[in-house]
Amino acid sequence: AQKITQTQPGMFVQEKEAVTLDCTYDTSDPSYGLFWYKQPSSGEMIFLIYQGSYDQQNATEGRYSLNFQKARKSANLVISASQLGDSAMYFCAMSAYAGGTSYGKLTFGQGTILTVHP
Amino acid sequence: DTAVSQTPKYLVTQMGNDKSIKCEQNLGHDTMYWYKQDSKKFLKIMFSYNNKELIINETVPNRFSPKSPDKAHLNLHINSLELGDSAVYFCASSQAPGPYSHEQYFGPGTRLTVT
C-alpha cells in the first residue's frame, strides 16, 4: 500500500519569495511516480510536476522544482518567486506500479493550503 | 479545446434519486479514472478503466456503477443517492500505466449535493 503525508496544513509566503511544500511518501514498490497538483479556489486540478523513482535528476518545470530525496522518501515542491496566483491548495500524489494491480491510481496527501501575501 | 470534460458541473438532487455524471477525454488516452473529493478536500480513487475494461474498484458501494462505452468516455451512475455521497467527483485520464507512471489530467469536477 502507498501512503502520502503532507504535514503542513497551511503555509504563508511573501510575494516574490520562494516556498517549500513538504511531502513524504511510503511504498514498497520499486517503481513509482511522484506528482504535484494545484487546486485553486475555482476547484480544478492542475498538474504541475512529475518525478519518476528512477530519475537521477530533480524535476523542474518553470518556477516549480521537485526536491526528490529517495533515501528520505521525500518529494518536496519548491515554488520560486511566488506570485499571488500561486495561492491555492497543493496536493502531493504517488502512483506505484505493482505489476498491474495498482494500475496507475494516484494516492493523494491531505493537501497544503498556500497563501501568497502581497 | 477541453481535454477532459465532465457534465454536469453542478448536480443537486434528493436522497433516493438516481443520477449520472458523464466524462469525455479527447487526449487519446487509454486509461480513465473516477476520484471522489470529500468535504475535507481529501481525494480518493474510486474506479479505473483501461481501454474500456474495469481495472480498479476501490471498495466503492455497489450503488456506484461506472460504464465505459469506449475508451474516450467514462460515465458514473449512482443509484439511491445518500447524504454521504455529497462530494466533488473528478474524472481523469492518462496514458496506460506501466513501469513508468504518467501524469493524469483531470476534468473540472462535478459538485454533487444530496439533500
Side-chain angles (χ1 to χ4, degrees), chain A residues 6-13 19-21 36 39-41 79 86-91 110-116, chain B residues 40-41:
Chain A
Q6 295 178 253
T7 56
Q8 306 155 314
M11 288 286 285
F12 295 90
V13 66
V19 63
T20 298
L21 305 183
W36 278 91
Q39 187 175 40
S41 57
I79 305 175
D86 293 335
S87 293
M89 175 84 95
Y90 288 81
F91 290 98
Q110 309 91 314
T112 297
I113 299 175
L114 175 67
T115 304
V116 180
Chain B
K40 295 185 179 177
K41 299 289 190 178

Side-chain angles (χ1 to χ4, degrees), chain B residues 18-72:
Chain B
D18 303 338
K19 290 293 178 186
S20 292
I21 306 171
K22 295 187 176 181
C23 178
E24 177 181 1
Q25 55 95 4
N26 62 8
L27 297 166
H29 289 160
D30 289 317
T31 307
M32 297 183 73
Y33 310 81
W34 279 109
Y35 290 87
K36 178 180 180 180
Q37 186 173 40
D38 63 23
S39 57
K40 295 185 179 177
K41 299 289 190 178
F42 186 66
L43 275 148
K44 193 169 171 15
I45 184 79
M46 298 174 69
F47 300 104
S48 170
Y49 269 74
N50 184 62
N51 205 9
K52 302 192 296 173
E53 183 183 344
L54 180 66
I55 298 299
I56 296 173
N57 182 343
E58 286 279 308
T59 59
V60 176
N62 56 16
R63 297 182 296 104
F64 290 79
S65 52
K67 280 208 176 126
S68 182
D70 55 60
K71 72 175 194 178

